[in-house]
Amino acid sequence: MNKSILKISMVCLALLLASCGAKKAMVNTSNGVAVSTPKAAQSEELQKLSYMQKVSDRQLYQKNVVADMSFSIKAGSLDHTVPGSIHMRKDEVIRLQLFIPLLGSEIGRLEFTPDYVLIIDRLHKEYIKSSYSELDFLKENGLTFYSLQALFWNQLLVPGTQKVSESDLKDFDADLHTAGQTVPVTLRNGKMTYQWNTDKNDGKILSAIVDYLSDQHGKSNLTWNYSDFTPLGVKFFPATQSFTFSTTAGKKAQTGTVTLNMDGVTTDSNWETQSTISPKYKKVEAKDVFSKLLNM
């Protein structure tokens, strides 16, 4: 095990977050002027809304998702797989823990909460703890924790909001006439485009694609695939999640793939949401770390 695994992991999640920047979605209200809509168009809109409700209704009722996992990362010449675990509590925390193979000791922890990002390197006794606004690379996107949460929980998202409400569903466009068994669902917001590929039969989200164009950071693309849906209560949760990103941030094209293969997914609630940092650990400035990593 070497330090590059943790470093690349941090970059993966940093670029991931940048790809799901959360700015308010623009909605055309036609300046309050009523516009007559033909009956055929009204019927089409109702069909789309009905389908969007089906997609939205697949989200889990549970507040906790806990599982052992295999964490795999491929980025450039790096190709590693280590054991780990994932703990998620809705609206509170997403925690990924990485372990040393065979020994089982924790070597790294990646934690996201609504207020901060925490990265702990136990091997070298270092940590980063910063608000989203303190990370220069991410600040431009006006991030929130909730966009990332929606991706991990296999749900739709509306940038800048905590959750997708019934009234938000009308802002999504569903292509019900596409051939095959997949229905693309899209949401556009300025320079960002979100697309969810959904199963036409039951509405489950099979993949999420985020395209982002920034004058400062270039182009970024995130593709998040879901598979191995396992029962969790009366709903289903994707036990295998794989996200691939590509970006031109840092003036150098970069790409990488992270795969989480979860095993024994449960709704266990007997765990603490906040990690404790030893006073012996050294705090590393996030700005310096991400600046160096993105220019490697």
Side-chain angles (χ1 to χ4, degrees), residues 169-185:
L169 295 178
K170 67 181 184 302
D171 298 328
F172 294 82
D173 182 44
D175 185 359
L176 301 178
H177 303 295
T178 186
Q181 296 301 309
T182 302
V183 174
V185 171

Side-chain angles (χ1 to χ4, degrees), residues 49 53 56-57 59 163-171:
L49 182 58
Q53 288 173 333
S56 181
D57 286 345
Q59 61 184 298
K163 62 181 180 180
V164 177
S165 66
E166 285 290 323
S167 61
D168 290 325
L169 295 178
K170 67 181 184 302
D171 298 328

Side-chain angles (χ1 to χ4, degrees), residues 188-206:
R188 291 180 172 83
N189 177 32
K191 296 180 180 180
M192 300 190 70
T193 302
Y194 300 83
Q195 178 176 312
W196 295 266
N197 293 314
T198 63
D199 188 296
K200 182 179 292 186
N201 295 321
D202 59 16
K204 69 173 173 284
I205 297 174
L206 304 173

Side-chain angles (χ1 to χ4, degrees), residues 7-147:
K7 287 186 175 181
I8 297 297
S9 298
M10 287 187 282
V11 175
C12 287
L13 292 174
L15 298 177
L16 165 93
L17 285 167
S19 297
C20 28
K23 295 181 180 178
K24 294 289 185 178
M26 301 292 290
V27 180
N28 185 0
T29 59
S30 301
N31 297 319
V33 179
V35 179
S36 60
T37 305
K39 290 185 177 180
Q42 290 179 350
S43 177
E44 177 79 8
E45 290 175 2
L46 289 175
Q47 289 178 27
K48 290 183 178 181
L49 182 58
S50 177
Y51 184 78
M52 290 311 307
Q53 288 173 333
K54 179 167 68 172
V55 174
S56 181
D57 286 345
R58 288 192 60 89
Q59 61 184 298
L60 297 176
Y61 294 131
Q62 286 76 12
K63 187 174 178 63
N64 295 278
V65 173
V66 176
D68 293 329
M69 71 170 181
S70 170
F71 178 97
S72 300
I73 181 169
K74 294 182 179 180
S77 60
L78 183 66
D79 187 351
H80 285 287
T81 297
V82 296
S85 69
I86 182 169
H87 289 73
M88 300 193 294
R89 182 164 293 166
K90 182 65 70 67
D91 298 333
E92 294 186 45
V93 67
I94 299 168
R95 179 184 300 148
L96 303 180
Q97 294 168 263
L98 307 181
F99 304 135
I100 299 175
L102 300 179
L103 296 179
S105 302
E106 182 179 283
I107 187 172
R109 180 175 296 206
L110 308 168
E111 187 167 284
F112 300 89
T113 77
D115 300 318
Y116 61 81
V117 178
L118 174 65
I119 303 171
I120 301 176
D121 178 353
R122 298 204 183 281
L123 184 62
H124 299 88
K125 293 181 170 53
E126 295 178 346
Y127 74 96
I128 295 171
K129 186 176 183 180
S130 299
S131 67
Y132 296 89
S133 63
E134 290 175 328
L135 304 178
D136 283 345
F137 177 69
L138 309 178
K139 187 188 302 183
E140 180 185 284
N141 302 298
L143 299 178
T144 70
F145 160 82
Y146 302 103
S147 297

Side-chain angles (χ1 to χ4, degrees), residues 143-160:
L143 299 178
T144 70
F145 160 82
Y146 302 103
S147 297
L148 180 60
Q149 175 174 264
L151 290 167
F152 272 102
W153 285 74
N154 190 229
Q155 297 175 2
L156 299 170
L157 68 90
V158 172

